[in-house]
DNA sequence: CGTCTATGTTGACACTCGTCGATACGGGTG
DNA sequence: CACCCGTATCGACGAGTGTCAACATAGACG
């Protein structure tokens, strides 16, 4: 029952849409594709993560320092925990610049999620 | 940041995109909007639900009988449980026709999710 | 070096979730 | 009516998740 099979997500750089999976209207998802997609949706299935993500996405350049977005109503370790989850899902990348750590959205991964929800398949 | 005030999960009929929440690039999500969006994403954050959903979405008319999609590797009660979750999230509607129950996708809700992931905000 | 600030990690806890078997319900059919 | 088939609900169990306090790590600066 326990599936510790952590599907390794793309983790690719900005550019274009990664053809991870076809639109959901294109046919039945395979087991593997379903697990990959589910991992991405799960990353956005928490209100705190969603708020962190929107704060970063709405910053100029789609990038923000942790110190700029940490005010979401939970403790600092919890913020760090959620940012790690988003990073592991491939939705964010992080980079340390001196004292601060900056997180950037991974546009191609987000675009791939949106493409999968396109019903005009 | 313009946040639309939608009372509860749409559950509306096919037609156009429900303006649930602005694109994630449009500004910080409110607590309420984040919870609504998170609930929708959570509904698609499970591989079994994703496979059920894709099976329905890829059927002609975006509708399918339970008997046509129930083969996803889990027991019948579990299938029923997941379909209920998708229904409660507003992503599916169900209708009994004689012996069988048919599930249909709610295109507007799915389109709203895709719109929220549009980075070209 | 020592210290301060910013961020990440660890361990523990309560709670939620996915799953199943057993059971109930609803509607055809004989 | 009795029976069977398709689907939903219930109750229970193990695994997973979000949260925090405490602690650890990494630069900046004196």
């Amino acid at each position: 029952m326990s599936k510790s099979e952590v599907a390794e997500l793309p983790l690719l750089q900005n550019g274009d849409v990664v053809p991870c999976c076809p639109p959901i209207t294109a046919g039945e998802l395979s087991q593997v594709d379903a697990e990959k997609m589910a991992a991405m949706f799960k990353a956005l299935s928490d209100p705190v993560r969603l708020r962190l993500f929107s704060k970063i996405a709405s910053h100029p350049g789609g990038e923000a320092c942790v110190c700029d977005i940490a005010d979401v109503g939970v403790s600092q370790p919890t913020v760090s925990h959620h940012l790690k989850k988003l990073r592991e899902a491939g939705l964010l990348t992080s980079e340390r610049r001196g004292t601060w750590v900056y997180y950037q959205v991974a546009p191609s991964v987000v675009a791939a999620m949106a493409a999968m929800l396109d019903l005009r398949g």
Side-chain angles (χ1 to χ4, degrees), chain A:
Chain A
M1 314 287 180
S2 61
K3 42 224 169 236
S4 327
E5 293 275 337
V6 182
E8 30 192 291
L9 294 173
L11 218 350
L12 32 73
Q13 49 273 51
N14 318 356
D16 60 340
V17 174
V18 50
C20 158
C21 308
I24 39 184
T25 52
E28 305 179 6
L29 249 49
S30 71
Q31 178 76 24
V32 173
D33 282 352
E35 286 173 2
K36 283 193 291 187
M37 288 183 54
M40 297 196 237
F41 284 118
K42 177 174 282 186
L44 291 182
S45 70
D46 181 90
V48 173
R49 283 199 289 272
L50 225 30
R51 296 186 71 190
L52 288 170
F53 190 78
S54 78
K55 282 195 174 200
I56 298 172
S58 61
H59 260 243
E63 144 177 328
C65 167
V66 177
C67 55
D68 289 331
I69 60 175
D71 181 23
V72 286
V74 294
S75 68
Q76 176 268 323
T78 301
V79 169
S80 190
H81 166 75
H82 284 305
L83 288 173
K84 183 180 183 180
K85 288 267 193 167
L86 288 166
R87 194 163 20 97
E88 289 173 343
L91 294 172
L92 292 179
T93 59
S94 67
E95 179 186 353
R96 172 159 223 137
R97 291 207 283 272
T99 302
W100 296 278
V101 175
Y102 289 81
Y103 279 80
Q104 306 97 20
V105 312
S108 60
V109 180
V110 180
M113 292 181 67
M116 291 186 290
L117 291 178
D118 192 349
L119 291 180
R120 307 182 306 270

